[in-house]
Amino acid sequence: MENVLSNYFERPEDVNVFPINQGYINSTYKLSLGYNNYILQKINTSIFLQPEIIVSNMLTVANHLKSKNYTKAILDVIPNKNGNYLTFLNGETWRMTSFVPNSVCYDKVLSKEQAFAAASAISEFHNVLNDLSINRISESIPGFLDYKKRVSDYKLALINGNKNRIERAQNEINFIQDHIFLIDKYLEIEFPKRVVHADAKISNFLFDSENETKVAGLIDWDTILPGNILCDFGDMIRTYSNLKSEDDPDPINNFSLENYQAVKDGFISNLKDILTEEELKSIDLTAFVVILIQAIRFLTDFISDDVYYHTSKENQNLDRTLNQINLLKSINQHICIN
Ligand code: GN1
Ligand code: MG
């Protein structure tokens, strides 16, 4: 670590390093030096094969937001002593960004007011980014929102995966099979391509540490890409109408219809003149499909012996799959998807 720090700081020995055990892909550390704080991340380059694309997207989005009246915190990528935004060291790739002061994040929603505030914030993010040309944004993970590919990867895993785990996941496999037609239906719709955050889950929203309904900023810009903006709505529903943590398989009291509506109201609030009729009509279907795809991704990883998502306990990817499926079942009871 000291070697990494010496790329950024004159006196690396004075920097305090605190690991942040959040996120399933990269390794994250909070750094503090005197009154200044930073976020340092080791990028998982077996997943992000071209980390320079992440940085280029981040700079493009930050510059655009800064040139307009965006009211939330903007992440700055901080160059190393050589002026480079990425530090390559012993086969590892590191990136440092600014830290948003007086902020906290949550992995479970606290109230419908909080859900509304978060959705309004991402709605503002999209409103301000709407005139940024998608040609200036690239995919840091090719095919990240290609749901056809997500399904074919899953089907391949069903053929080549761990037989014992496949057997244990039979109920979940059946649920997915019964609902896969909704993904086909989604794939028939032609959505306008806009700049998508693509990981709008609750833990990527920072809130004011003294006011749980005031959003300080939106973080984790690693997967920003051109695509269907409603995928961000889907990830918000996935985590703000969900009353359980992402790996909690308990189906009891797992869903809040009030929060669902709050996310919808907030998401639309700053996009009224932007969303097309087709988009508005497909908003609930997209949320359902985003959650189903997330279930498929967790299950694919479970039957592939946990090669993608970081896990810290046995069956965690199966529990995550169950959590998504429980949510889909609850949504099915309250929302008309078609
Ligand atoms: C991953 O690494 P993290 O926690 O930011 C994943 C998202 C998933 C999410 C599920 C690059 O995000 O797509 O929705 O986990 N990121 C990547 O919580 O696959
Ligand atoms: Mg992410």
Side-chain angles (χ1 to χ4, degrees):
M1 182 51 91
E2 196 151 324
N3 271 341
V4 185
L5 295 179
S6 66
N7 282 271
Y8 292 95
F9 300 97
E10 288 308 328
R11 293 176 56 88
E13 63 276 15
D14 293 347
V15 179
N16 289 310
V17 179
F18 308 93
I20 298 182
N21 293 323
Q22 267 205 353
Y24 298 173
I25 312 284
N26 296 330
S27 311
T28 305
Y29 304 86
K30 179 182 173 189
L31 308 181
S32 65
L33 176 65
Y35 291 114
N36 295 320
N37 296 305
Y38 309 88
I39 291 289
L40 180 68
Q41 287 184 298
K42 184 169 82 182
I43 299 178
N44 182 335
T45 47
S46 57
I47 289 175
F48 292 104
L49 299 178
Q50 288 179 277
E52 46 298 327
I53 293 183
I54 300 182
V55 170
S56 134
N57 287 342
M58 286 182 78
L59 297 173
T60 304
V61 167
N63 284 337
H64 192 81
L65 295 175
K66 278 180 192 166
S67 73
K68 311 217 18 206
N69 296 326
Y70 182 63
T71 62
K72 305 293 185 285
I74 295 170
L75 293 186
D76 284 316
V77 191
I78 299 172
N80 62 23
K81 285 182 190 164
N82 297 324
N84 299 320
Y85 291 116
L86 292 172
T87 299
F88 302 103
L89 200 72
N90 306 323
E92 298 176 348
T93 303
W94 295 81
R95 174 211 40 202
M96 193 160 91
T97 60
S98 51
F99 177 86
V100 181
N102 306 318
S103 66
V104 284
C105 65
Y106 301 90
D107 76 339
K108 265 200 291 193
V109 62
L110 298 175
S111 64
K112 67 173 189 303
E113 289 76 18
Q114 185 178 53
F116 178 81
S120 311
I122 204 162
S123 182
E124 181 198 359
F125 183 79
H126 285 309
N127 176 301
V128 174
L129 288 180
N130 195 47
D131 63 344
L132 172 62
S133 162
I134 53 160
N135 299 329
R136 302 199 39 217
I137 299 290
S138 307
E139 297 195 355
S140 59
I141 300 178
F144 193 66
L145 291 183
D146 180 347
Y147 289 174
K148 201 167 161 195
K149 181 170 178 297
R150 295 286 186 199
V151 172
S152 60
D153 288 351
Y154 164 68
K155 290 192 170 155
L156 218 59
L158 284 178
I159 297 167
N160 300 321
N162 177 327
K163 298 277 172 290
N164 174 277
R165 286 189 167 203
I166 291 173
E167 214 173 286
R168 281 163 52 207
Q170 210 50 57
N171 289 340
E172 292 69 44
I173 292 171
N174 291 342
F175 180 91
I176 288 167
Q177 192 51 42
D178 289 346
H179 292 84
I180 230 155
F181 73 98
L182 289 168
I183 301 178
D184 295 333
K185 187 171 172 184
Y186 170 85
L187 288 171
E188 277 166 23
I189 306 169
E190 266 200 51
F191 290 97
K193 278 203 173 188
R194 311 182 191 278
V195 179
V196 185
H197 178 281
D199 197 7
K201 61 180 176 183
I202 184 166
S203 55
N204 284 334
F205 287 79
L206 296 179
F207 293 87
D208 185 317
S209 46
E210 271 149 35
N211 183 346
E212 67 192 38
T213 61
K214 187 168 174 218
V215 175
L218 188 53
I219 56 170
D220 186 358
W221 297 2
D222 293 354
T223 46
I224 285 181
L225 84 176
N228 175 8
I229 203 184
L230 298 180
C231 292
D232 287 345
F233 172 73
D235 269 320
M236 295 203 71
I237 291 294
R238 197 173 75 69
T239 52
Y240 281 94
S241 76
N242 196 341
L243 299 177
K244 304 282 181 187
S245 302
E246 201 169 45
D247 61 357
D248 185 344
D250 178 9
I252 309 296
N253 292 333
N254 66 325
F255 173 70
S256 163
L257 185 58
E258 276 191 329
N259 289 11
Y260 192 108
Q261 195 53 49
V263 168
K264 203 192 260 190
D265 293 343
F267 190 86
I268 293 172
S269 64
N270 294 299
L271 293 171
K272 286 200 182 83
D273 303 329
I274 290 176
L275 293 174
T276 63
E277 236 170 71
E278 175 97 294
E279 284 175 299
L280 282 170
K281 209 174 74 192
S282 313
I283 196 162
D284 296 309
L285 173 66
T286 304
F288 195 94
V289 166
V290 165
I291 302 164
L292 184 57
I293 289 288
Q294 189 63 64
I296 288 175
R297 290 178 64 195
F298 285 144
L299 189 55
T300 303
D301 200 33
F302 178 70
I303 61 189
S304 311
D305 289 325
D306 309 324
V307 288
Y308 186 87
Y309 289 114
H310 171 76
T311 52
S312 55
K313 48 188 188 214
E314 176 81 18
N315 295 334
Q316 198 168 12
N317 274 317
L318 184 59
D319 287 345
R320 289 170 178 154
T321 308
L322 265 164
N323 176 280
Q324 305 301 301
I325 289 180
N326 293 338
L327 184 64
L328 291 170
K329 287 180 177 166
S330 302
I331 291 176
N332 254 339
Q333 284 171 19
H334 294 97
I335 310 282
C336 173
I337 300 303
N338 299 306

